[in-house]
Amino acid sequence: MPARRALLHRVPMRHPGDTSAIEALFAAGAIAPPQVAAVLGKTEGNGCVNDFTRAYAVQALSAMLGRHLGEAPEAVAARVALVMSGGTEGGLSPHFLVLGIAEEAAPNPAGALAIGTAFTPDFAPEEIGRTPQVEATAAAVRAAMAAAGIADAGAVHYVQVKCPLLTSERIAAARVRGRTVATEDTYHSMGLSRGASALGVALALGEVAAVPEAAIGADWSLFSGRASTSAGVELLRNEVIVLGISRDWAGDLTIAHAVMQDAIDLPAVQAALRGAGLPGDGGQLDAAARERLVAVLAKAEPASTGLIRGQRHIMWDDSDINATRHARALVGGVIAAAVGRTDLFVSGGAEHQGPDGGGPVAVIARRG
């Protein structure tokens, strides 16, 4: 049987509904529409409850892919993981990461990037941020690993999850049925949903043995070093993308990860670069290395202590700019200085994703 080969292209967007760069990939033969397994996007909204740039991008992608595939947009959205992360503060550049799967004659004996996707059922409002979301996410991660042919959890380097949040309408619907929800604060629901999803990843990968419901959004000693979760209003289920290394896959793409202990942990970024075969010696990547760099994915979170290495930060105290927006700009700047690029997939809100104030960072590159 032929081996599978992961495809990954990073393209810019002029606005959240701009899919022209992806269609240019199709026209150039770089990837074919049926090969698309997932699209990740960084959109220029506020990343909060009312960030409709995410839904706008999903709608545009579904319509565009449906047109090329001869399918209804709803059918595309049901099958292809469309994970939009809002917020490109600071110098971060809006962009798409297009992930696909092709066939190759033989696998790479050294191992290569492997991709697997899976979806949970839709969640009822009362399940968001609670044990059912943890357990369903863990099951979906295991299913995505199986789809990628990855049996060893240690070979998984990054798990991207898109998860839902609570709105006033969803809270009211639960109340009518006599159900309670994890929180009636819609913004806080984003953190609980991200946290429950991240702990589901940790459970599936063996990073934690169990997840008491009371620990969600409270016990920061429980976390995944490989989970990246992003909440949005545009869906009710969790969409899961597993990225890892498999000797059954072909191609020259590889992936490595590290865990930033705080928002300015440059050595962790450099460790991830070295793990992916790129220079990580303290200098900015040169032009040749930047050409081999395919994607950087990271989480950003303000430390709950209000401190970074003993110095006070005001991210939680700024009533004008949301704390996660500050964090994305800060971490994005640190990574951009290391790699010499600004089209970075830096997602805010790292509840149970890395230690308090830190977060996972993954690098995907072409082998030299």
Side-chain angles (χ1 to χ4, degrees), residues 257-283:
H257 81 280
V259 179
M260 297 177 72
Q261 298 302 307
D262 59 31
I264 58 172
D265 189 0
L266 177 60
V269 178
Q270 294 166 336
L273 289 169
R274 289 194 299 272
L278 296 172
D281 57 3

Side-chain angles (χ1 to χ4, degrees), residues 140-227:
V141 171
R142 296 183 188 108
M145 288 174 61
I150 299 175
D152 178 11
V156 174
H157 286 274
Y158 213 69
V159 180
Q160 180 66 53
V161 181
K162 186 67 184 183
C163 54
L165 52 82
L166 291 172
T167 63
S168 298
E169 183 180 28
R170 293 170 186 176
I171 293 168
R175 192 180 298 123
V176 165
R177 291 184 289 104
R179 305 284 184 167
T180 64
V181 291
T183 178
E184 296 201 357
D185 180 332
T186 57
Y187 181 75
H188 184 47
S189 78
M190 298 181 75
L192 292 178
S193 182
R194 288 190 297 256
S197 300
L199 289 171
V201 175
L203 193 62
L205 298 183
E207 295 173 293
V208 299
V211 179
E213 188 163 275
I216 302 171
D219 184 354
W220 305 122
S221 70
L222 300 179
F223 63 83
S224 170
R226 290 169 281 176

